[in-house]
Amino acid sequence: MEGLGQFLPLILIFAVAYFFMIRPQIKRQKDEKKFTEALKKGDRIITKSGLYGKVVDLNDKDNSCVIETMAGRLKFDRSAISMEMSKKLAAPAKK
């Protein structure tokens, strides 16, 4: 029983780290993967660097997409698309 008492604080630290750091990160990665897989032509998106555009073409072979902007068409990796900002752009305006 005394041996368990010595390791209890260490076990608690790992449990707290799992529930507050590791688990939310895994959930976010799954959500981002679903978002990138659900992209389709015509979606309005924002890249992580702040570029606004509309998806024109999706390439599953190299996991890229072509985005049409005011300046022309640009090819980006799907991982460069910001999930949070794109969802805010697609959300209806509040009255």
Side-chain angles (χ1 to χ4, degrees):
M1 187 69 179
E2 220 175 272
L4 182 63
Q6 290 177 336
F7 292 109
L8 190 61
L10 189 60
I11 292 169
L12 283 171
I13 289 172
F14 281 121
V16 168
Y18 176 77
F19 283 108
F20 287 108
M21 295 171 62
I22 298 170
R23 191 167 172 229
Q25 183 65 26
I26 292 171
K27 183 182 181 297
R28 182 174 179 184
Q29 286 174 344
K30 285 181 184 178
D31 289 345
E32 282 190 20
K33 186 175 180 182
K34 284 182 194 175
F35 174 76
T36 57
E37 289 173 354
L39 278 176
K40 59 188 181 300
K41 291 181 183 179
D43 284 349
R44 296 180 49 95
I45 53 106
I46 303 174
T47 63
K48 291 181 180 176
S49 61
L51 187 72
Y52 287 70
K54 182 173 76 172
V55 176
V56 177
D57 188 30
L58 296 167
N59 188 351
D60 291 330
K61 194 183 304 181
D62 63 350
N63 207 21
S64 66
C65 63
V66 176
I67 300 171
E68 184 175 24
T69 65
M70 297 285 286
R73 292 182 179 201
L74 302 168
K75 186 175 182 178
F76 277 93
D77 192 37
R78 288 189 196 183
S79 64
I81 298 172
S82 171
M83 179 179 67
E84 291 85 17
M85 296 301 290
S86 296
K87 285 184 178 179
K88 288 179 184 176
L89 181 67
K94 294 182 180 179
K95 293 183 181 180

